[in-house]
């Protein structure tokens, strides 16, 4: 094994969505970084659906952007349909989603990585992690090089012992057309990590020319749409439509008839699949009362003939796939370009991680993405960004950046992983965030840009952009407070379509009324129309939801009290006689860093937290 002559500080293994964010973060923070991938033509590959964002996932993308990450900018450059979901619901659950040209998305991200200072991109298959005295010191690739380093971020995706299933046929693969990574998971087991097995799947890809779109419902994007990134001024890509169709009883009957040849139902697949994104055969079996399931026909790219049938992941035999597809309206003569498949892969229980995403067992080794049992590009990218930041913070001797549950969806994601583990692929939902009214898409920059600036990821130009926006919000709010409308202002009252105002009210108080919008006030309050729609949206939400936001902030203050009570690493739970054996076992396994984290561990009772609180608050007071 030849030692490479360039000294790297951070090595990132895997150039998927997690790996790209981790490597870019480390390099942008000023440290020599190496990004290794088995195939340089597959950087930031969209292995499954060609889309970014969606419910809760859009929040993650905006947070990545606010911290200085790349995903939002990349989808803004390569998106071919943009939509805001849940527009009829409140701002907390509204979310952005964009179809991507998946080929352009990968090319664009690769170009960013290749041109980033202090970042080298190389093709290589990592075969061994070099660990000395429980500390990572290097990685070795099967091509014959050893790269010495101080920290490693492991982002192996679905490649560790990847096994692909199509019907009763199965073969090794990290994804279709690519080999798996062998050996790493065995080494991780020997190092003491709990390695498990998960499963995910993907639909077949269909030939566009064989689809009769006249039998489907067209779903265009929004007429006006907001970019994902706070600094993207506009989206220049050509926009396209998606199309909606649905399965029927004939489809389901064919699927049921093929279950005896399904690896999922014949016991061939051992890994646990995603509960919230089941295969079509799983849907048919688990929900027999449903006679139809929606299918979204999504283009894979502007210059591609492949269509992605969202809603139809499957590992049924190829002949059964074709047969059931041809029962769906619009797909009667469809041709499959790539068959759908399931893939099993190894992951490492994230309970063995610190909140920084550094492993508890090996100093300097960080895990991010599907290796932690998550699903989705957005969840992976969020973890990669935080792992990259914290690898650098470790090298610099600084405390890690830990996002709280009240601060970001990223904080919820990581906190869930390290406390709950992953017995099935983890997917982010708005329902997982107890403070979701505070964690909206529109205010991710307000929550996180200052932090991104402090750690060195947000540049001066970006900081100036944010500071100007914040100043404009304060100014617009002041205009609303200062503008008083009285009974004499008949024209303004008529424009607002409100009843007679006897004592006079501020424009801010009027905006609290459900039937008054910020758009109406633009014609009434002098100077308000000078501000951008983005600024006015945040002003409107801040005013209309003021009471609810204050209530959640009060809850957060109570939550923070427990977070401030630190638990020493050497704290011996076994000597606390009033704790049950189960509680002691769980606390010893996870080793929470503070009382708040301890309270979120399943099985640790409120009574146990009260006991610990009495013991620890005395220590923390000294």
């Amino acid at each position: 094994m030849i030692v490479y002559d360039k000294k790297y500080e951070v090595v990132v293994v895997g150039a998927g969505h997690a790996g790209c964010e981790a490597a870019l973060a480390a390099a942008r923070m000023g440290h020599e970084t190496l990004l290794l991938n088995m195939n340089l033509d597959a950087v930031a590959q969209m292995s499954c659906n060609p889309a970014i964002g969606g419910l809760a996932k859009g929040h993650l993308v905006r947070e990545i952007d606010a911290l200085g990450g790349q995903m939002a900018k990349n989808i803004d450059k390569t998106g071919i349909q943009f939509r805001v979901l849940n527009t009829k619901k409140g701002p907390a659950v509204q979310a952005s989603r964009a179809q991507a040209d998946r080929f352009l998305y990968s090319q664009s991200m690769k170009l960013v990585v290749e041109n980033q200072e202090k970042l080298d991109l190389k093709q290589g298959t990592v075969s061994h992690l070099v660990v000395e005295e429980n500390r990572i010191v290097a990685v070795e690739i099967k091509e014959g090089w050893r790269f010495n380093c101080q920290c490693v971020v492991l982002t192996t995706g679905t490649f560790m012992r990847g096994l692909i299933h199509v019907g009763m046929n199965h073969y090794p693969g990290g994804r279709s057309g690519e080999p798996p990574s062998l050996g790493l998971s065995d080494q991780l087991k020997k190092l003491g990590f709990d390695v498990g097995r998960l499963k995910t799947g993907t639909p077949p890809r269909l030939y566009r020319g064989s689809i009769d779109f006249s039998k489907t419902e067209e779903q265009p994007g929004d007429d006006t749409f907001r970019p994902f990134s706070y600094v993207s001024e506009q989206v220049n890509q050509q926009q396209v439509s998606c199309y909606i169709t649905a399965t029927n009883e004939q489809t389901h009957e064919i699927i049921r008839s093929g279950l005896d040849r399904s690896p999922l139902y014949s016991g061939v697949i051992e890994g646990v699949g995603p509960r919230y994104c089941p295969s079509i055969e799983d849907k048919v079996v688990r929900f027999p009362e449903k006679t139809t399931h929606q299918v979204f026909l999504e283009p894979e790219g502007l210059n591609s003939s492949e269509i992605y049938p969202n809603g139809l992941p499957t590992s049924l035999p190829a002949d059964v796939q074709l047969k059931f597809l041809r029962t769906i309206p619009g797909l009667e003569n469809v041709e499959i370009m790539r068959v759908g498949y399931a893939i099993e892969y190894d992951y490492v229980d994230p309970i063995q991680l610190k909140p920084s995403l550094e492993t508890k067992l090996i100093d300097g080794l960080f895990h991010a993405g599907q290796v932690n049992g998550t699903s989705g590009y957005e969840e992976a990218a969020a973890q990669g960004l935080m792992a990259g930041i914290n690898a650098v913070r470790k090298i610099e001797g600084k405390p890690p950046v830990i996002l709280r549950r009240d601060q970001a969806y990223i904080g919820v994601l990581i906190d869930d992983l390290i406390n709950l583990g992953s017995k099935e692929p983890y997917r982010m939902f708005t329902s997982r965030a107890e403070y979701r009214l505070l964690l909206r898409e529109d205010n991710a920059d307000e929550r996180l840009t200052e932090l991104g600036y402090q750690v060195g990821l947000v540049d001066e130009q970006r900081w100036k952009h944010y500071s100007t926006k914040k100043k404009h919000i304060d100014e617009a709010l002041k205009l609303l407070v200062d503008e008083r409308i009285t009974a004499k202002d008949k024209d303004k009252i008529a424009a607002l379509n409100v009843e007679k105002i006897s004592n006079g009210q501020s424009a801010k108080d009027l905006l609290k009324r459900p039937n008054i919008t910020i758009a109406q006030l633009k014609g009434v309050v002098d100077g308000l129309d000078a501000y951008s729609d983005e600024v006015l949206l945040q002003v409107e939400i801040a005013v209309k939801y003021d009471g609810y936001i204050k209530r959640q902030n009060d809850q957060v203050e109570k939550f923070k009290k427990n977070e401030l009570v630190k638990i020493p690493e050497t704290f011996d739970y076994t000597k606390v006689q009033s704790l049950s054996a189960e509680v002691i076992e769980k606390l010893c396994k996870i080793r929470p860093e503070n009382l708040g984290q301890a309270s979120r561990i399943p099985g640790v009772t409120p009574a146990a937290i009260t006991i610990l609180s009495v013991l620890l608050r005395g220590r923390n007071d000294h």
Side-chain angles (χ1 to χ4, degrees):
M1 195 64 62
I2 299 168
V3 176
Y4 195 70
D5 60 4
K6 183 173 181 178
K7 187 175 181 180
Y8 292 103
E9 294 165 288
V10 179
V11 172
V12 179
V13 180
H17 303 279
C20 287
E21 293 291 352
L24 287 168
R28 287 168 176 171
M29 292 171 73
H31 291 259
E32 291 292 343
T33 304
L34 172 63
L35 177 57
L36 290 166
N37 206 47
M38 294 169 70
N39 178 5
L40 291 194
D41 296 325
V43 172
Q45 184 81 279
M46 289 181 145
S47 309
C48 200
N49 63 313
I52 294 292
L55 300 179
K57 293 169 175 280
H59 292 71
L60 289 172
V61 180
R62 299 275 278 183
E63 290 177 355
I64 291 166
D65 182 67
L67 285 165
Q70 191 63 30
M71 178 173 266
K73 291 179 184 175
N74 210 56
I75 185 60
D76 286 346
K77 278 193 244 175
T78 60
I80 55 178
Q81 189 201 79
F82 288 77
R83 295 179 65 226
V84 177
L85 310 179
N86 277 351
T87 53
K88 294 181 180 178
K89 295 184 179 180
V93 294
Q94 292 181 13
S96 301
R97 184 181 189 274
Q99 290 299 129
D101 183 314
R102 75 178 187 92
F103 309 100
L104 285 178
Y105 188 94
S106 176
Q107 292 166 12
S108 175
M109 187 67 85
K110 185 186 178 194
L111 192 62
V112 170
V113 168
E114 287 174 338
N115 287 283
Q116 176 62 49
E117 290 183 12
K118 294 187 176 291
L119 175 56
D120 290 349
L121 174 65
K122 295 185 185 298
Q123 185 163 296
T125 301
V126 174
S127 55
H128 189 68
L129 304 174
V130 183
V131 178
E132 296 176 359
E133 297 179 350
N134 290 327
R135 178 172 180 80
I136 196 85
V137 296
V139 300
E140 295 175 350
I141 61 174
K142 70 179 185 181
E143 288 81 0
W145 272 334
R146 167 176 165 150
F147 298 98
N148 291 335
C149 58
Q150 297 179 50
C151 285
V152 169
V153 182
L154 199 62
T155 72
T156 50
T158 60
F159 280 75
M160 284 203 306
R161 284 207 314 129
L163 186 66
I164 291 172
H165 299 270
V166 182
M168 302 310 288
N169 298 319
H170 55 268
Y171 53 92
R175 59 183 160 225
S176 183
E178 295 186 62
S181 168
L182 302 174
L184 266 186
S185 55
D186 289 336
Q187 185 190 2
L188 290 169
K189 285 180 187 176
K190 289 177 183 176
L191 290 170
F193 288 100
D194 294 332
V195 177
R197 199 86 169 140
L198 292 177
K199 165 250 169 190
T200 190
T202 189
R205 303 313 197 268
L206 313 179
Y207 175 52
R208 176 192 289 272
S210 65
I211 298 173
D212 184 353
F213 290 102
S214 69
K215 294 182 179 180
T216 66
E217 176 190 344
E218 185 175 6
Q219 184 188 50
D222 293 342
D223 292 332
T224 57
F225 45 85
R226 64 186 182 213
F228 273 90
S229 174
Y230 287 95
V231 294
S232 294
E233 293 183 2
Q234 60 184 6
V235 174
N236 297 315
Q237 281 293 340
Q238 176 188 339
Q239 299 297 289
V240 301
S241 290
C242 296
Y243 296 85
I244 304 172
T245 185
T247 63
N248 50 60
E249 275 294 357
Q250 186 184 0
T251 317
H252 299 177
E253 186 52 44
I254 292 170
I255 290 169
R256 281 189 284 265
S257 71
L259 291 178
D260 61 325
R261 297 164 62 205
S262 162
L264 191 62
Y265 286 94
S266 60
V268 175
I269 290 179
E270 300 173 2
V272 180
R275 185 192 316 178
Y276 306 106
C277 187
S279 65
I280 186 59
E281 51 265 42
D282 227 2
K283 290 180 191 176
V284 169
V285 171
R286 285 165 53 188
F287 308 107
E289 73 283 359
K290 291 203 71 172
T291 58
T292 182
H293 293 283
Q294 220 168 31
V295 179
F296 296 86
L297 302 176
E298 302 172 346
E300 295 245 305
L302 295 175
N303 298 308
S304 171
S305 293
E306 292 184 70
I307 296 291
Y308 179 93
N310 199 338
L312 294 177
T314 183
S315 58
L316 286 165
D319 62 303
V320 179
Q321 291 186 33
L322 186 61
K323 192 174 180 182
F324 83 66
L325 281 167
R326 288 181 172 174
T327 66
I328 297 172
L331 307 184
E332 292 87 351
N333 298 303
V334 78
E335 292 292 341
I336 293 176
M337 295 182 73
R338 309 186 202 210
V339 296
Y341 62 88
I343 182 168
E344 286 186 283
Y345 56 95
D346 285 351
Y347 80 105
V348 180
D349 193 339
I351 280 178
Q352 295 179 291
L353 297 175
K354 299 175 184 178
S356 63
L357 295 180
E358 185 182 17
T359 66
K360 295 173 181 176
L361 295 177
I362 305 299
D363 201 39
L365 176 62
F366 294 75
H367 290 177
Q370 284 180 283
V371 69
N372 289 335
T374 60
S375 69
Y377 312 141
E378 303 83 359
E379 290 90 341
Q383 294 170 70
L385 177 66
M386 298 312 298
I389 290 171
N390 285 325
V392 167
R393 300 280 290 184
K394 184 174 184 68
I395 290 168
E396 294 178 347
K398 296 176 181 176
V401 174
I402 311 297
L403 297 178
R404 303 184 308 272
R405 294 183 73 91
D406 65 287
Q407 194 176 10
Y409 270 84
I410 299 174
V412 174
L413 165 66
I414 294 174
D415 191 65
D416 280 353
L417 290 175
I418 64 172
N419 290 319
L420 305 178
S422 291
K423 301 306 179 190
E424 62 183 11
Y426 179 101
R427 180 179 177 180
M428 180 52 72
F429 293 101
T430 53
S431 59
R432 296 190 191 273
E434 56 269 59
Y435 307 112
R436 54 186 170 274
L437 188 55
L438 304 179
L439 308 181
R440 308 182 308 275
E441 268 197 18
D442 65 272
N443 72 347
D445 57 343
E446 190 177 323
R447 292 183 276 117
L448 298 171
T449 299
E450 185 173 356
L451 176 59
Y453 183 64
Q454 289 170 353
V455 301
L457 273 182
V458 170
D459 61 23
E460 291 297 333
Q461 185 179 357
R462 177 74 179 269
W463 177 248
K464 184 178 179 181
H465 180 277
Y466 165 70
S467 301
T468 300
K469 178 187 170 184
K470 196 168 184 298
K471 177 171 171 281
H472 286 171
I473 290 170
D474 293 339
E475 290 173 354
L477 279 168
K478 187 174 187 304
L479 284 179
L480 293 178
V481 172
D482 292 345
E483 179 72 28
R484 294 199 64 80
I485 298 173
T486 67
K488 296 178 181 179
D489 300 313
K490 293 181 180 179
D491 289 345
K492 293 181 179 181
I493 292 172
L496 294 174
N497 194 25
V498 295
E499 295 179 5
K500 184 178 178 181
I501 299 174
S502 54
N503 297 323
Q505 283 186 287
S506 71
K508 181 181 177 182
D509 287 336
L510 285 172
L511 185 55
K512 291 180 180 180
R513 298 187 182 188
N515 59 326
I516 300 291
T517 67
I518 197 81
Q520 288 173 288
L521 288 173
K522 281 170 70 175
V524 171
V525 180
D526 289 340
L528 201 60
D529 59 354
Y531 299 106
S532 68
D533 289 342
E534 185 182 20
V535 165
L536 295 180
L537 172 65
Q538 280 200 251
V539 169
E540 184 169 32
I541 291 171
V543 172
K544 284 192 176 293
Y545 292 88
D546 182 52
Y548 298 102
I549 291 171
K550 283 180 179 175
R551 191 181 308 164
Q552 287 219 331
N553 279 324
D554 289 342
Q555 293 170 350
V556 167
E557 288 308 310
K558 293 176 183 176
F559 161 77
K560 283 182 181 176
K561 288 179 182 177
N562 277 348
E563 302 297 306
L564 292 173
V565 181
K566 303 298 182 185
I567 302 177
E569 286 186 25
T570 55
F571 189 86
D572 190 351
Y573 297 101
T574 61
K575 292 185 177 179
V576 184
Q577 295 181 353
S578 43
L579 293 180
S580 70
E582 180 191 3
V583 167
I584 290 171
E585 181 185 354
K586 289 180 178 293
L587 290 169
C588 288
K589 183 176 183 180
I590 293 179
R591 304 297 311 180
E593 297 196 353
N594 56 60
L595 197 59
Q597 185 187 348
S599 70
R600 295 188 293 277
I601 299 171
V604 176
T605 63
I609 295 300
T610 300
I611 293 164
L612 289 174
S613 177
V614 172
L615 292 171
L616 293 167
R617 287 186 193 278
R619 294 186 178 210
N620 278 256
D621 289 340
H622 292 300

